[in-house]
Amino acid sequence: MLSIGQYSSGKRSPTFPGQDDFQGDIVTEREITDLSVFTGKKVLVAGFGKSALDMATFAVDQASEVHHLFRTPRWMLPFRILGVHYSRLLFCRMGTFLMPSWVQPTATEAFIHRKLGVLVRGNWRLVQSIVRFQKYLLGLGKSAVVKRRLASLTPKHDIVSDFRSASAMQPQMYLKHIAQERLLPHQGELQGFTKSGAVLADGHTIDCDLVVLSLGSGSPIFPFLPATYRSLLENEPDGVQLYRHLLHPDIPRLAFAGFNHGFMHVPAVEIGMLWLSAVLNDDLTLPGAGEMRQSMESVRQWKRDHVNFEPSRSCAVNTRFQQYLDVLLQDLGLNPYRKMPNILAELFSQYGPDDYVDIFEEYRAGRTQRSEILRTLALDT
């Protein structure tokens, strides 16, 4: 069992022209262990993932200046949407019903996406509009410069394509700091350095003496495995796609924990381990290797068609956690609707880890009552 997670390659820290002449410090966010490192500094944070947003926000109260540099803005998921915590909207069954995914594990969900696509698209357009509107409100009464800065943070692509392995959560003070001109966003590309700062691809310069590179991680690597296995796992630029996000049909006696990363990560890992134990105990029959490869490729291709690139795109279920867990539970002969028979709670109440606390006992009880061996469903995930 490998439990190394999807970020085993470490943080990306490319070398730039003029870097040796730069008189400040260049670090990644993993090297920052104390916020006092920002004190009195002119800080430049490069990147637009969750860590970059956090670093830029943290630096504001410590630094003399804070600049946030990014090539392409991503949709930031605010903690509150019209005053409601995002998890109450996304983590209820009704919210996940409307989440586009490579699999719709129930008949109701499949019907919604195949026959009521206009409803699904309309839902996410509404979410985008609300996020834009909340940003617009912060710009009311502000200068034209501030309004342009806020507008530069709105992506041109749709919000669903940004639900990848790690969604960009919007720190609560990030946009407020921009509206107050305490945090200065710059859309551009880091080209190199001078003695006193950073040079962008368009020729503009930013004076700084501390640069935080928050550019994400590379695809997972497995240097401890034989070369034949490494070639199976490391050949794709967007990471390793596994069958059920748990195992590879061409690598015997090896399974993976943590490559089913999502918003409900701990239950996903534990249910994944229960699924693997059923396989190892000959209580769950897998399809043939060819069928598993075909399933893996189907999921990978869906992600490539619908989710923006990142080196770990194939290694996660992210906001599709509900669909993923539903498939694993049905493979194990368990009911995925954990809040039933209360239909209102099932549809509108937030799902959490406590909804899955009884699955081990349910599985053991079901195994003693069954005479036949389980088979995985003909669903890709």
Side-chain angles (χ1 to χ4, degrees):
M1 175 66 65
L2 287 183
S3 303
I4 61 172
Q6 57 182 301
Y7 302 122
S8 55
S9 62
K11 302 299 293 186
R12 292 181 60 231
S13 184
T15 300
F16 295 92
Q19 185 168 318
D20 292 338
D21 298 325
F22 179 55
Q23 295 180 346
D25 296 313
I26 302 174
V27 298
T28 68
E29 79 274 12
R30 285 190 183 177
E31 298 173 69
I32 296 177
T33 58
D34 190 328
L35 296 183
S36 64
V37 70
F38 297 126
T39 302
K41 298 285 188 178
K42 295 179 180 179
V43 178
L44 171 65
V45 178
F48 208 100
K50 182 182 184 303
S51 296
L53 296 173
D54 286 341
M55 287 295 109
T57 305
F58 291 153
V60 168
D61 289 332
Q62 311 290 331
S64 60
E65 292 180 19
V66 182
H67 302 266
H68 180 203
L69 175 65
F70 53 90
R71 288 189 299 182
T72 304
R74 290 173 58 178
W75 284 99
M76 296 177 287
L77 192 60
F79 279 88
R80 294 194 176 274
I81 301 175
L82 293 182
V84 180
H85 196 275
Y86 76 91
S87 63
R88 295 192 176 277
L89 299 175
L90 289 184
F91 289 7
C92 68
R93 178 71 67 173
M94 197 64 202
T96 57
F97 267 163
L98 297 174
M99 177 63 64
S101 175
W102 53 85
V103 63
Q104 283 84 42
T106 64
T108 302
E109 193 172 341
F111 175 81
I112 289 174
H113 285 266
R114 292 171 187 169
K115 301 297 184 181
L116 301 176
V118 64
L119 174 64
V120 175
R121 293 188 295 273
N123 171 73
W124 292 109
R125 289 193 185 110
L126 176 61
V127 172
Q128 288 181 191
S129 297
I130 293 172
V131 173
R132 281 198 192 99
F133 180 68
Q134 292 183 167
K135 194 182 303 177
Y136 166 78
L137 291 178
L138 285 173
L140 289 179
K142 303 296 182 180
S143 68
V145 171
V146 169
K147 291 178 179 178
R148 282 198 299 270
R149 288 171 180 163
L150 289 170
S152 72
L153 300 167
T154 300
K156 296 180 180 179
H157 52 268
D158 66 272
I159 192 171
V160 175
S161 63
D162 265 342
F163 291 152
R164 26 189 174 171
S165 71
S167 296
M169 300 301 302
Q170 178 186 301
Q172 295 188 37
M173 291 302 296
Y174 176 78
L175 292 179
K176 292 180 181 179
H177 285 327
I178 292 174
Q180 296 164 359
E181 299 190 78
R182 301 181 67 198
L183 173 56
L184 306 178
H186 306 268
Q187 185 169 7
E189 184 172 357
L190 182 59
Q191 189 72 26
F193 289 93
T194 65
K195 288 184 178 181
S196 59
V199 180
L200 308 189
D202 62 4
H204 284 83
T205 60
I206 300 175
D207 287 342
C208 54
D209 48 26
L210 175 61
V211 176
V212 182
L213 298 178
S214 191
L215 305 176
S217 302
S219 298
I221 58 174
F222 307 87
F224 43 81
L225 291 180
T228 52
Y229 293 166
R230 291 190 68 180
S231 66
L232 292 172
L233 299 171
E234 298 178 7
N235 269 354
E236 300 294 340
D238 46 0
V240 53
Q241 184 67 59
L242 301 169
Y243 179 72
R244 293 298 196 255
H245 290 76
L246 292 168
L247 52 81
H248 196 292
D250 298 317
I251 304 180
R253 299 185 299 278
L254 183 64
F256 299 78
F259 287 82
N260 55 1
H261 177 76
F263 272 88
M264 200 87 74
H265 187 53
V266 173
V269 170
E270 293 188 353
I271 294 172
M273 294 306 99
L274 179 61
W275 186 94
L276 284 170
S277 73
V279 173
L280 293 172
N281 289 315
D282 296 322
D283 189 42
L284 178 61
T285 302
L286 298 176
E291 190 175 337
M292 285 193 279
R293 291 190 209 101
Q294 185 177 0
S295 177
M296 290 158 52
E297 188 55 37
S298 175
V299 175
R300 189 205 313 274
Q301 192 58 52
W302 189 95
K303 291 178 180 179
R304 288 176 173 175
D305 290 342
H306 297 89
V307 180
N308 289 332
F309 174 80
E310 65 176 340
S312 56
R313 176 171 53 190
S314 292
C315 310
V317 298
N318 194 262
T319 52
R320 288 89 184 176
F321 67 90
Q322 193 86 70
Q323 290 92 333
Y324 176 72
L325 294 179
D326 285 355
V327 172
L328 294 191
L329 291 174
Q330 290 181 87
D331 279 348
L332 294 168
L334 301 175
N335 183 8
Y337 298 106
R338 309 304 300 171
K339 297 180 182 293
M340 292 296 281
N342 188 334
I343 184 65
L344 292 179
E346 180 63 45
L347 288 175
F348 301 109
S349 181
Q350 178 180 346
Y351 256 78
D354 56 320
D355 290 301
Y356 299 96
V357 294
D358 297 327
I359 60 165
F360 293 95
E361 289 72 18
E362 289 179 24
Y363 170 72
R364 282 193 287 266
R367 188 178 184 187
T368 60
Q369 297 169 9
R370 278 188 285 104
S371 58
E372 72 282 357
I373 296 175
L374 297 167
R375 299 186 65 87
T376 56
L377 302 180
L379 295 172
D380 299 323
T381 196

